[in-house]
Amino acid sequence: MTEFELIRQYFASQPIARNDVRVGIGDDAAVIDPPAGTETVVTTDVLVAGVHFFEDVDPADLGHKSLAVNLSDLAAMGAEPAWFLLDITLPGVDPSWIERFARGLFDLAQIHRVQLIGGDTARGPLSVTITAIGLVPRGAALRRSGARIGDSICVTGTLGDAALALAVRRGEVQVEAAARSALAQRLNRPTPRIEAGKALRDVASSAIDISDGLLADLGHVVTASGVGARLRRDSVPLSDAYRAHLAQVGWDRALAGGDDYELCLTIPRSRADDARAIAERMNFSLTPVGEITAGGGVEIYDAEGRLYRPTRRGYDHFA
Ligand code: ADP
Ligand code: MG
């Protein structure tokens, strides 16, 4: 058995088999059959060792996260995930590493019934690129460009946990063991907010997933929509672990830290009650953190209503 046969064996023996896949792994290309009346939503993300994850990463965490970041992009479009492709470069073939990677990957794939339909495998520095494909009803995809003056800005979950986990890992911040593992879980095993994106698809005016920090990602929304945003710093939702260290670490990781993979949505005022009811019924957290304004850019105000200036605005690979 060759190295790549070994890899294909792990990836071909997956638990998900959708009946809209005519041809899956094994031919020159996959053939899929999207249902009538749908549009296809396609996204890709690359994860590079030493840039997006530590070389000694738990392969199960890497498998989970490389799919999760792509599903998060589908969530931000309000799409239902359906299929994905996996391109992987590996410095060598370590069967137990690949088996663990595949387990992390397919555990998440199974939750969302998303099927691996192909990919490519090569020798090289460790990197993982996934292309995820989802479905929305025709014309229903959520865009960054739909925010309007007066809309409420809401976020799912809590912000800043991944950035704080990274600071802990780097030894910049000390926290007790329980907080450490709660934060690490958020960095290593982000939860793509698929249910929230789908449920709010017909209520929200715009959406984006928070991969580079709230300020940076909301900045993309206001630019695309030709509006501005006003954030209430102290309304930004924090986890118990983050809040316990707020005095020590401040707000800026919650405002500008990357890797949270929560959604930031804008909701027209007339739909605010509907959005709240949907979140309650479906049991996900949705927190209003500000409003869309006429002015360009994102402004933040503290609890006393004073303009707040964070020390950083987001992550930029080429800055
Ligand atoms: P080709 O040379 O025609 O591109 P490959 O040898 O690269 O074919 O791949 C053969 C089959 O295995 C294809 O169906 C491809 O999609 C699948 N495949 C290769 N690598 C992966 C991978 N990492 N994950 C899933 N499927 C893969
Ligand atoms: Mg190929």
Side-chain angles (χ1 to χ4, degrees):
M1 188 184 275
T2 69
E3 296 169 355
F4 294 156
E5 280 166 355
L6 189 76
I7 291 160
R8 263 176 230 133
Q9 177 191 306
Y10 283 111
F11 296 136
S13 63
Q14 58 173 316
I16 307 102
R18 294 174 60 101
N19 56 22
D20 50 19
V21 176
R22 300 283 165 267
V23 179
I25 293 173
D27 214 314
D28 293 308
V31 181
I32 52 185
D33 185 14
T38 63
E39 285 174 340
T40 308
V41 182
V42 187
T43 185
T44 193
D45 260 310
V46 59
L47 271 71
V48 178
V51 178
H52 299 93
F53 58 89
F54 296 100
E55 304 267 357
D56 65 351
V57 65
D58 176 342
D61 287 345
L62 180 61
H64 173 100
K65 189 163 179 175
S66 34
L67 182 57
V69 300
N70 280 281
L71 297 185
S72 177
D73 281 321
L74 293 183
M77 303 299 287
E80 160 130 20
W83 314 284
F84 70 105
L85 296 130
L86 168 67
D87 300 327
I88 187 164
T89 54
L90 293 162
V93 175
D94 171 352
S96 76
W97 191 98
I98 294 167
E99 198 183 339
R100 284 187 58 76
F101 174 87
R103 193 175 315 145
L105 181 79
F106 289 130
D107 281 352
L108 181 62
Q110 217 164 356
I111 291 172
H112 297 288
R113 296 202 59 258
V114 54
Q115 182 175 341
L116 180 62
I117 55 170
D120 206 5
T121 310
R123 188 184 287 274
L126 178 59
S127 82
V128 182
T129 303
I130 283 181
T131 301
I133 309 168
L135 298 166
V136 287
R138 194 163 290 284
L142 272 171
R143 307 280 308 273
R144 296 179 176 187
S145 53
R148 296 293 173 261
I149 297 167
D151 288 358
S152 167
I153 302 164
C154 295
V155 299
T156 60
T158 60
L159 300 186
D161 298 320
L164 189 50
L166 201 57
V168 170
R169 156 101 202 211
R170 288 181 176 145
E172 297 162 8
V173 174
Q174 267 77 49
V175 302
E176 68 286 8
R180 191 187 171 96
S181 73
L183 294 168
Q185 184 74 6
R186 296 270 295 153
L187 175 65
N188 298 329
R189 296 257 173 173
T191 305
R193 301 298 182 187
I194 292 292
E195 292 307 324
K198 264 170 58 189
L200 296 172
R201 183 168 62 204
D202 299 326
V203 173
S205 52
S206 79
I208 192 166
D209 71 319
I210 305 175
S211 52
D212 297 330
L214 176 61
L215 295 182
D217 290 314
L218 181 57
H220 298 319
V221 168
V222 302
T223 301
S225 301
V227 294
R230 194 186 163 96
L231 285 178
R232 292 181 304 275
R233 185 195 67 185
D234 297 51
S235 298
V236 170
L238 304 178
S239 65
D240 292 342
Y242 194 115
R243 191 165 288 283
H245 300 88
L246 180 58
Q248 181 193 352
V249 304
W251 282 98
D252 292 1
R253 288 188 179 85
L255 292 168
D259 257 7
D260 281 322
Y261 302 101
E262 297 295 343
L263 296 183
C264 174
L265 307 113
T266 57
I267 315 274
R269 248 180 261 173
S270 60
R271 308 303 307 272
D273 289 343
D274 297 332
R276 203 175 308 122
I278 288 167
E280 212 161 284
R281 189 179 69 236
M282 299 193 61
N283 202 27
F284 62 83
S285 91
L286 186 69
T287 308
V289 294
E291 285 82 37
I292 295 295
T293 61
V298 179
E299 286 184 335
I300 311 151
Y301 292 87
D302 69 12
E304 282 74 48
R306 288 176 308 226
L307 192 62
Y308 175 78
R309 291 188 190 286
T311 54
R312 51 176 175 173
R313 310 246 0 150
Y315 189 75
D316 184 336
H317 281 278
F318 296 100

